[in-house]
């Protein structure tokens, strides 16, 4: 109750204060002659409670209060939702019998947009409070609220040396505003700031501050936006020294530059922990300048070689100190270099040793000023000694200087290169390319080449040794007969003589070929312009001469010989070379088995082109078969039908008179189908000359005949009449072929089977029973018995009375 009472008192006082402000000229913006509005406080963060005070409005009227990020003059007709598109209705306030109102709202973070979306407040700057009539959008008055709390600034790093770069990052600023930077209240935006100082569309910026010359300690950096209040950050300057040399001999002078020390203070210097005197250069007074800077010269004391630190300490504050490392070099050395060879060939391994170099230092090698790659990296040991090796590179004849250097010290020694000259191959034939290589020769010397005493051109023409004394060229062996030949090479003072042996060579395009075909024979290294003879199996081809180089490529026509392996002989001027070739011919059959009448394909190759081939079936000519003719390639193909033959293996042979091939064909057994009996039907009585019929047999392989039989006794058939070789599907017994009478108690049977041209028989047909001649039927006996009984009954009936009288 007490807090509520205080709240009411506070509100009353606020009204009185507002009225006082309104009538005493407190800052506000007039929207019209009828009303004005003021706020308290005039700045704050999101969520800040803001009191709104209105005066000069109509009595007993409700007004709407809006919060917006957009500025709009109210001297003209402007509307919320039309001219102002980002806004938030934060409250409604009512006047009473007085034309004033007061109310309060909390600053929102989310505004509504005229398009129906939301706008989030994300930066500092000016925001606006508008007053409209209730349920009306016309702006009547406005006031300005300055937003805070969004602007954030960070430094990276927050401490460092003079001249370092500090990244200044800001967020929450007004997009498009410009940012200025002051260092210790001095604007350094144009002198020490890098980067774009205009805030981007996200309210952020990134700048780089180069720390100005300044004394040791904390310094203020103020970042101020053109529409955002300044933010102050602290940066701590740390003292630093720099040396003009990082390695010196004892007794040398070095220059020390310092920054970030205390201003106008003395500085003490130490080397290796011992104080040293210094000559002040920047300030004659022996003190730092007002920004904590100094430049001094000092002489390095006589300390052993090694790593040391120069330390600078403020004369009045030991915490203001800086240090820098440097190296005191050992005293000058007297390096020596020795070699294990005084002369060597290019490519040989040369060992080099050094002493009195700088200890634990890498060493490089050069020959005549050109770097040499050792077998392994070279480093001196703790005594300044090393030993290493490398392959002697390509160098011209003469003396050469090798140097070793550790970067500071170097030593040299001399050695000579021994020449090497080689030639390969030393055997072959005319046209062989011989390679010549050499090293350690005189530089840029011409080459003279002779073959059997005659000058011979090099490839390329005019070969010379290189500037490094190397030699690399080729030449072609000229036309020559087989045998040994002398090659002489002269360059500079070097003369090389070698013997080159040539031999004839023969190669074939293939070692397998058919008769009547061309076989490419390539010959090399024979006597030039001499007849070349080729013979096979005693058949010699016409002689053809070799060319001027002793070579010849000839298309040799293979003669008509049987297939097999032969020796092909090539002879030129008494030199004979034999090559083995195989004459091939082949034939195939498909299919390799089947029944009589099957179409069979035969084909082959390697026969004499244009030759009519003899094709035989088991040594006999095939009836009606047209003999095939081998084509221009010696190939053929033909088709025949398997002739009538009993089942078994048969030989199909094909021959051109010289070349013969045999193929095996297996005739499969076939069985024709059994005929179907037609007449007479079973248990038929026959008399006279019987006639029998059966159905024709359909058989795809060959023609059939029929064998007809009449037999008795099915269990052990007894032949009565047999008729083989019937062409028709019926049979009638003639007058000489008589049958005894036979009834059901001892019937006849008839049957038939088919037989093909190869003698293959079908199963017997269904056996049918029949009777022959007149036979008293059994049923007729019973009929006669029945008639007799009826006659007796009739007679008895007619004469019944007389019969009775006989008994009485």
């Amino acid at each position: 109750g007490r807090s509520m009472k205080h709240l009411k008192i506070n509100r009353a006082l606020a009204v009185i204060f507002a009225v006082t402000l309104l009538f005493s000229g407190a800052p506000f913006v007039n929207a019209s002659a009828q009303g004005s509005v003021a706020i308290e406080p005039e700045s704050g963060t999101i969520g800040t409670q803001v009191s709104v005070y209105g005066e000069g409005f109509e009595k007993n009227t409700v007004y709407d209060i809006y919060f917006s990020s957009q500025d709009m003059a109210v001297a003209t007709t402007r509307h919320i939702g039309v001219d102002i598109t980002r806004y938030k209705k934060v409250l409604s306030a009512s006047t009473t019998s007085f034309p004033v109102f007061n109310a309060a709202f909390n600053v929102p973070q989310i505004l509504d947009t005229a398009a129906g979306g939301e706008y989030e407040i994300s930066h500092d700057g000016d925001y606006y409070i508008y007053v409209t009539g209730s349920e009306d959008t016309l702006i009547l008055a406005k006031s300005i609220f300055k937003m805070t709390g969004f602007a954030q600034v960070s430094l990276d790093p927050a401490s460092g040396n003079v001249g370092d770069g500090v990244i200044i990052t800001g967020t929450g600023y007004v997009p498009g505003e410009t940012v200025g930077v002051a260092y210790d209240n001095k604007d350094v935006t144009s002198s020490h700031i890098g980067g774009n100082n205009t805030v981007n569309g996200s309210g952020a910026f990134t700048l780089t501050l180069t720390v100005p010359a300044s004394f040791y300690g904390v310094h203020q950096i103020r970042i101020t936006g053109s529409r955002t209040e300044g933010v102050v950050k602290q940066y701590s300057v740390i003292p630093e020294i720099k040396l003009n040399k990082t390695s010196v001999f004892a007794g040398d002078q070095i220059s020390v530059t310092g920054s970030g020390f205390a201003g106008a203070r003395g500085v003490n210097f130490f080397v290796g922990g011992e104080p040293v005197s210094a000559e002040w250069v920047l300030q004659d007074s022996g003190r730092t300048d007002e920004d904590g800077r100094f430049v001094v010269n000092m002489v390095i004391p006589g300390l052993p070689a090694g790593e040391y630190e120069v330390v600078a300490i403020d004369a009045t504050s030991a915490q203001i100190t800086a240090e820098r490392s440097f190296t005191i070099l050992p005293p000058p050395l007297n390096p020596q270099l020795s070699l294990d060879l005084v002369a060597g060939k290019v490519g040989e391994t040369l060992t080099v040793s050094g002493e009195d170099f700088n200890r634990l230092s890498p060493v490089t090698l050069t020959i005549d000023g050109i770097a040499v790659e050792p077998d392994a990296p070279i480093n001196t040991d703790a005594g300044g000694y090393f030993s290493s090796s490398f392959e002697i590179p390509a160098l011209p004849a003469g003396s050469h200087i090798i140097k070793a250097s550790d970067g500071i010290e170097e030593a040299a020694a001399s050695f000579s290169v021994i020449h090497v000259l080689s030639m390969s191959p030393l055997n072959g034939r005319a046209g062989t390319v011989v390679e010549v290589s050499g090293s350690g020769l005189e530089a840029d010397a011409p080459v003279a080449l002779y073959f059997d005493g005659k000058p011979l051109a090099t490839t390329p023409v005019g070969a010379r040794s290189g500037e490094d004394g190397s030699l690399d060229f080729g030449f072609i062996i000229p036309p020559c007969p087989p045998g040994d030949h002398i090659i002489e090479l002269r360059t500079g003072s070097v003369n090389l003589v070698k013997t080159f042996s040539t031999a004839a060579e023969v190669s074939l395009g293939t070692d397998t070929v058919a008769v009547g075909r061309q076989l490419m024979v390539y010959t090399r290294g024979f006597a030039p312009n001499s007849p070349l003879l080729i013979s096979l199996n005693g058949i010699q081809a016409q002689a053809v001469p070799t060319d001027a180089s002793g070579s010849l490529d000839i298309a040799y026509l293979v003669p008509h010989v049987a297939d097999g392996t032969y020796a092909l002989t090539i002879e030129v001027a008494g030199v004979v070379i034999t090559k083995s070739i195989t004459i091939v011919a082949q034939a195939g059959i498909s299919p390799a088995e089947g029944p009589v009448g099957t179409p069979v394909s035969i084909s082959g190759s390697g026969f004499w082109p244009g030759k009519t081939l003899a094709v035989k079936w088991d040594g006999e000519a095939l009836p009606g078969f047209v003999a095939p003719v081998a084509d221009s390639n010696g190939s053929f193909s033909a088709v025949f039908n398997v002739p009538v033959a009993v089942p078994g293996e048969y030989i199909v042979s094909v021959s051109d008179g010289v070349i013969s091939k045999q193929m095996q064909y297996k005739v499969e057994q076939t069985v024709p189908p059994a005929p179907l009996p037609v007449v007479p039907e079973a248990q038929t009585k026959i008399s006279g000359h019987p006639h029998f019929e059966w159905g024709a047999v359909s058989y795809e392989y060959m023609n059939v005949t029929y064998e007809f039989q009449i037999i008795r006794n099915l269990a052990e058939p007894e032949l009565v009449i047999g008729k083989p070789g019937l062409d028709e599907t019926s049979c009638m017994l003639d007058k000489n072929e008589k049958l005894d009478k036979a009834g059901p108690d001892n019937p006849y049977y008839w049957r038939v089977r088919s037989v093909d041209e190869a003698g293959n028989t079908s199963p017997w047909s269904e056996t049918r029973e029949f009777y022959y001649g007149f036979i008293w039927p059994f049923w007729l006996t019973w009929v006669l018995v029945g008639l007799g009984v009826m006659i007796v009954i009739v007679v008895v009936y007619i004469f019944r009375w007389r019969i009775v009288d006989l008994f009485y």
Side-chain angles (χ1 to χ4, degrees):
R2 184 175 183 182
S3 62
M4 181 63 79
K5 180 178 179 181
H6 288 169
L7 179 60
K8 290 180 179 180
I9 293 172
N10 289 337
R11 286 188 174 179
L13 291 174
V15 171
I16 295 171
F17 176 72
V19 172
T20 302
L21 288 174
L22 290 172
F23 285 98
S24 63
F28 60 82
V29 179
N30 290 319
S32 69
Q34 296 180 344
S36 60
V37 63
I39 60 173
E40 175 65 29
E42 294 180 347
S43 64
T45 62
I46 297 294
T48 298
Q49 188 178 62
V50 178
S51 296
V52 182
Y53 309 101
E55 183 274 333
F57 293 91
E58 293 187 9
K59 301 176 182 179
N60 301 314
T61 302
V62 178
Y63 292 91
D64 291 336
I65 311 299
Y66 291 88
F67 190 86
S68 174
S69 64
Q70 295 173 293
D71 184 19
M72 190 62 62
V74 298
T76 57
T77 301
R78 293 291 184 265
H79 290 266
I80 299 294
V82 176
D83 303 291
I84 300 298
T85 58
R86 296 194 297 269
Y87 54 84
K88 183 76 172 182
K89 181 179 177 181
V90 292
L91 58 87
S92 295
S94 302
T95 58
T96 59
S97 55
F98 293 97
V100 297
F101 65 78
N102 73 68
F105 69 90
N106 292 329
V107 174
Q109 185 168 1
I110 303 297
L111 304 180
D112 299 325
T113 66
E118 291 184 342
Y119 173 81
E120 183 175 1
I121 296 174
S122 61
H123 59 79
D124 289 352
D126 291 341
Y127 290 78
Y128 306 92
I129 298 169
Y130 294 104
V131 179
T132 69
S134 177
E135 305 302 328
D136 192 5
T137 61
L138 178 64
I139 298 174
L140 303 176
K142 81 170 182 179
S143 185
I144 300 175
F145 179 83
K146 186 172 291 291
M147 184 73 73
T148 60
F150 282 102
Q152 301 288 333
V153 175
S154 64
L155 302 182
D156 183 24
S159 63
N161 305 123
V162 171
D164 285 354
V166 179
I167 305 301
I168 304 175
T169 303
T171 58
Y173 280 72
V174 180
E177 72 172 312
T178 57
V179 176
V181 179
Y183 187 87
D184 286 344
N185 295 321
K186 180 180 180 181
D187 188 358
V188 294
T189 306
S190 60
S191 59
H192 289 75
I193 295 296
N196 188 353
N197 67 335
T198 299
V199 179
N200 63 23
S202 300
F205 65 86
T206 300
L207 302 174
T208 301
L209 166 67
T210 301
V211 177
S214 47
F215 52 79
Y216 171 82
V218 177
H219 298 264
Q220 304 296 325
I221 300 176
R222 175 180 291 275
I223 300 92
T224 305
S226 57
R227 296 174 59 186
T228 303
E229 294 184 357
V231 175
V232 176
K233 291 291 181 178
Q234 292 184 337
Y235 181 82
S236 297
V237 172
I238 301 171
E240 178 188 32
I241 60 173
K242 296 180 181 179
L243 309 179
N244 67 330
K245 297 179 182 179
T246 58
S247 59
V248 294
F249 291 106
D252 285 352
Q253 177 178 283
I254 63 172
S255 177
V256 182
T257 301
S259 63
F261 283 76
R265 296 276 188 89
V267 179
N268 296 322
F269 300 97
F270 300 84
V271 173
E274 298 297 327
V276 294
S277 59
E279 175 190 1
W280 287 76
V281 177
L282 183 63
Q283 295 288 92
D284 294 338
S285 61
R287 294 175 177 270
T288 61
D289 66 7
E290 61 181 7
D291 290 322
R293 297 178 297 177
F294 66 84
V295 177
V296 300
N297 292 330
M298 65 176 62
V299 176
I300 300 302
L303 296 173
E307 295 290 327
Y308 294 90
E309 290 183 346
V310 174
V311 180
I313 304 176
D314 185 273
T316 58
S317 176
Q319 69 178 8
I320 305 175
T321 180
E323 59 188 31
R324 181 71 66 174
S325 298
F326 76 106
T327 301
I328 295 180
L329 301 173
L333 301 171
N334 182 28
Q336 300 293 324
L337 194 66
S338 61
L339 308 176
D340 70 331
L341 297 175
V342 295
K345 300 175 182 178
V346 171
E348 282 188 333
T349 299
L350 176 66
T351 299
V352 56
S353 302
E355 59 183 18
D356 207 17
F357 282 79
N358 285 295
R359 63 186 185 87
L360 304 176
S361 299
V363 175
T364 59
L365 301 177
T366 61
I367 296 179
D368 297 340
I370 300 174
V372 175
E373 190 70 26
D375 294 340
I378 305 174
N379 288 279
T380 59
D381 61 15
Y385 174 84
F386 74 86
S387 180
S388 183
S389 59
F390 62 90
E391 287 188 359
I392 299 174
L395 296 170
S399 180
H400 301 273
I401 300 299
I402 180 169
K403 288 185 179 181
S405 172
D406 62 9
I408 299 175
E409 303 294 336
E410 71 175 27
S414 65
F415 73 101
S416 298
V417 174
I418 301 172
H419 80 265
V420 175
L421 191 58
S422 64
M423 183 183 300
S424 178
L426 293 178
N427 55 73
R429 54 176 175 78
T432 299
V433 176
V434 178
E435 299 291 340
V436 177
S437 61
S439 62
L441 303 168
E442 294 180 20
D444 194 29
V447 171
L449 188 66
Y450 301 89
F451 186 86
D452 286 342
K454 297 179 181 180
L456 187 63
T458 62
T459 304
V461 176
R464 305 178 71 91
S465 61
E467 294 294 337
D468 59 359
S470 64
L471 188 62
D472 188 8
F473 71 93
F475 63 90
I476 299 173
I477 299 298
C480 59
D484 291 338
H485 306 271
I486 301 300
I487 300 175
E488 184 179 3
L489 186 152
R490 302 170 187 169
T491 177
S493 60
V494 177
N495 188 24
L496 177 68
V497 177
K498 294 289 185 180
T499 299
F500 188 91
S501 298
T502 61
E505 296 179 2
V506 175
S507 62
L508 305 180
T510 177
D511 58 4
T512 303
V513 69
V515 297
R517 304 301 297 274
Q518 289 185 336
L519 171 67
M520 291 305 300
V521 180
Y522 306 97
T523 63
R524 299 289 185 273
F526 286 95
N529 304 310
S530 300
L532 182 145
L533 299 175
I534 300 179
S535 60
L536 174 71
N537 198 32
I539 302 172
Q540 183 171 295
Q542 183 178 358
V544 180
T546 60
D547 62 15
S549 66
S551 300
L552 178 64
D553 295 342
I554 185 171
Y556 170 66
L557 182 66
V558 178
H560 196 184
V561 294
D563 55 325
T565 300
Y566 294 87
L568 183 70
T569 301
I570 298 91
E571 180 179 357
V572 179
V575 177
V576 178
I577 294 179
T578 300
K579 291 288 184 178
S580 177
I581 66 169
T582 300
I583 308 298
V584 294
Q586 58 185 10
I589 189 168
S590 178
E593 60 181 41
V596 172
T598 299
V600 176
S601 296
I602 56 174
S603 61
S605 62
F607 292 84
W608 190 258
K611 193 74 171 178
T612 300
L613 306 178
V615 179
K616 294 185 178 182
W617 172 274
D618 219 28
E620 300 294 333
L622 286 164
F625 178 71
V626 178
V629 178
D631 63 15
S632 59
N633 293 319
S635 300
F636 77 93
S637 63
V639 178
F640 67 88
N641 294 328
V642 175
V644 174
V646 298
E649 302 286 347
Y650 293 85
I651 298 299
V652 179
S653 63
V654 57
S655 174
D656 65 0
V658 175
I659 299 173
S660 296
K661 289 294 177 181
Q662 292 185 338
M663 300 158 284
Q664 193 173 57
Y665 188 85
K666 181 180 180 180
V667 177
E668 296 177 344
Q669 183 177 16
T670 57
V671 177
L676 180 66
V678 179
V679 292
E681 295 183 355
Q683 299 178 345
T684 299
K685 179 182 177 183
I686 303 174
S687 61
H689 298 290
H691 177 75
F692 301 86
E693 290 185 14
W694 54 88
V697 169
S698 177
Y699 188 46
E700 61 179 319
Y701 301 107
M702 60 191 101
N703 296 326
V704 298
T705 59
Y706 302 98
E707 181 181 1
F708 172 80
Q709 287 185 351
I710 295 176
I711 62 173
R712 273 183 163 166
N713 189 5
L714 288 178
E716 295 181 5
E718 176 186 344
L719 178 64
V720 178
I721 294 176
K723 288 181 174 290
L726 298 177
D727 294 325
E728 303 295 332
T729 59
S730 64
C731 176
M732 179 179 286
L733 301 183
D734 58 31
K735 60 182 180 179
N736 296 322
E737 296 172 326
K738 294 182 179 181
L739 297 175
D740 295 333
K741 292 182 180 180
D745 57 336
N746 187 24
Y748 288 106
Y749 301 92
W750 74 277
R751 62 185 182 181
V752 65
R753 65 182 177 182
S754 56
V755 182
D756 66 18
E757 294 178 84
N760 301 310
T761 61
S762 74
W764 287 105
S765 68
E766 170 194 352
T767 302
R768 287 192 176 181
E769 178 182 341
F770 72 93
Y771 316 124
Y772 186 77
F774 178 75
I775 301 173
W776 183 269
F778 182 74
W779 59 269
L780 185 56
T781 302
W782 286 105
V783 169
L784 293 176
V785 171
L787 288 174
V789 173
M790 289 184 66
I791 292 171
V792 170
I793 292 173
V794 172
V795 171
V796 171
Y797 180 77
I798 294 174
F799 296 103
R800 66 185 180 278
W801 302 114
R802 292 185 180 184
I803 295 173
V804 172
D805 289 342
L806 290 177
F807 291 97
Y808 293 99

